[in-house]
Amino acid sequence: MTEIRSLGYLRVQTTDIPRWRELVVDGLGMAVGSGPEPDGLYLRVDERRSRLQVLPGDVDRVLAVGWEVRDQFALEAVREQVEKSGVEVTELTEEESLYRDAERVITFRDPSGTQVEVFFGPVLDHSPVVTPHGGNFVTGACGLGHVVLPTPAATETYAFYTEVLGFLPRGAVRLGGPDAPLPARRVRFLGVNQRHHSLAICPAPPTEAPGMVHLMMEVDTLDAVGQALDRVGKLGFSISSTLGRHTNDKMVSFYVRAPGGWDLEFGTEGMLVDESHYTAEEITADSYWGHDWSGTEPLAAFQQ
């Protein structure tokens, strides 16, 4: 069983902070939080001081995916397992950890090159979360949401997250459909809590940036999703995928293109997995209905 409890935060770098603010605050309705970088954009959705950290830079890319554990003992257990696998682990200084709003943080790279940060002791903000459009985000034990990572080393990356970090397989989808030629290439879905998947691994060619297919965030009502879809359209953002319901996690969602070339999935009604009877499945269709990806690149074809 994994020591990792949830997706804790995501840190990204962008050349266009104002456009990011338009998307996530004015469009999707996240609350502006606080953080140590004066020019950074820190986004709140719950009592955490920030869940999404958008920092200025000269290129658009993902800086780190932050996974949360219970305490210092769990952190040491993760460190031991990663080092046993032959991967170098660095413990951040107290100052560097505070920069990430955590008590302690270790960091390493997964086989696809993604910077992974594992932490405990997130800094809380006890003031009310005042979202600009009154939306309520679904986090708690299920964490921020999920991330989909592209990788040229899908087999090694899948083995690392399942065998070293202890993520639970939560099914797959075969690229090219059930009749695709063998050997099969699959997008793999992985869970660490009741959320169907907190991570998905997508086979993809090597790329420098952005290092992300998408980030999913969940809200508590379908109306909040529909209203956000209206707002981001009026703000001139590209809708990567129309509203639809996924077959694996049952999420009703749409996808919008963020500055830098990757997507934000915004959804509701995601299923909760009961491990007492769940078995990993292979889905044969992305969605029951909707999720029209017309005009998007091939990588977007399986975007759960």
Side-chain angles (χ1 to χ4, degrees), residues 3-219:
E3 296 285 355
I4 292 171
R5 295 288 181 90
S6 65
L7 176 63
Y9 60 76
L10 181 67
R11 301 175 61 237
V12 302
Q13 179 179 285
T14 183
T15 60
D16 196 346
I17 291 280
R19 191 60 171 158
W20 261 98
R21 181 185 292 267
E22 282 188 288
L23 174 58
V24 295
V25 178
D26 301 335
L28 300 181
M30 301 180 78
V32 176
S34 60
E37 172 61 61
D39 296 322
L41 177 61
Y42 295 86
L43 288 313
R44 285 187 72 193
V45 295
D46 55 17
E47 203 172 18
R48 304 293 173 90
R49 189 151 71 179
S50 67
R51 287 283 195 175
L52 175 60
Q53 302 162 12
V54 184
L55 305 174
D58 57 1
V59 67
D60 292 276
R61 65 187 179 95
V62 173
L63 295 174
V65 180
W67 298 100
E68 184 172 355
V69 297
R70 185 186 189 280
D71 51 31
Q72 67 268 36
F73 306 109
L75 190 72
E76 287 303 321
V78 172
R79 178 175 189 157
E80 181 180 346
Q81 286 300 111
V82 174
E83 289 179 335
K84 279 184 179 179
S85 76
V87 174
E88 182 180 355
V89 178
T90 300
E91 178 156 358
L92 299 187
T93 65
E94 184 173 3
E95 181 180 2
E96 290 169 330
S97 296
L98 288 175
Y99 189 83
R100 288 156 175 79
D101 282 335
E103 183 174 338
R104 281 180 61 195
V105 183
I106 61 172
T107 185
F108 48 88
R109 289 193 181 274
D110 72 14
S112 64
T114 299
Q115 192 73 39
V116 178
E117 296 180 351
V118 181
F119 72 97
F120 81 90
V123 176
L124 303 183
D125 182 339
H126 302 294
S127 64
V129 182
V130 182
T131 56
H133 305 292
N136 296 311
F137 287 77
V138 177
T139 55
C142 288
L144 170 60
H146 73 236
V147 290
V148 180
L149 303 177
T151 174
T155 300
E156 296 84 354
T157 302
Y158 178 66
F160 179 78
Y161 279 98
T162 54
E163 298 172 21
V164 177
L165 294 181
F167 282 56
L168 296 172
R170 292 270 174 82
V173 62
R174 199 180 311 177
L175 292 174
D179 299 322
L182 299 177
R185 298 168 63 245
R186 290 178 171 89
V187 178
R188 302 281 188 180
F189 308 106
L190 303 168
V192 291
N193 50 51
Q194 282 192 290
R195 192 184 293 283
H196 179 273
H197 56 283
S198 296
L199 171 67
I201 298 166
C202 182
T207 181
E208 291 296 322
M212 178 76 66
V213 178
H214 75 252
L215 164 70
M216 185 283 295
M217 294 176 290
E218 185 176 0
V219 288

Side-chain angles (χ1 to χ4, degrees), residues 256-268:
V256 59
R257 185 57 46 92
W262 49 284
D263 289 325
L264 295 178
E265 180 185 6
F266 199 74
T268 191

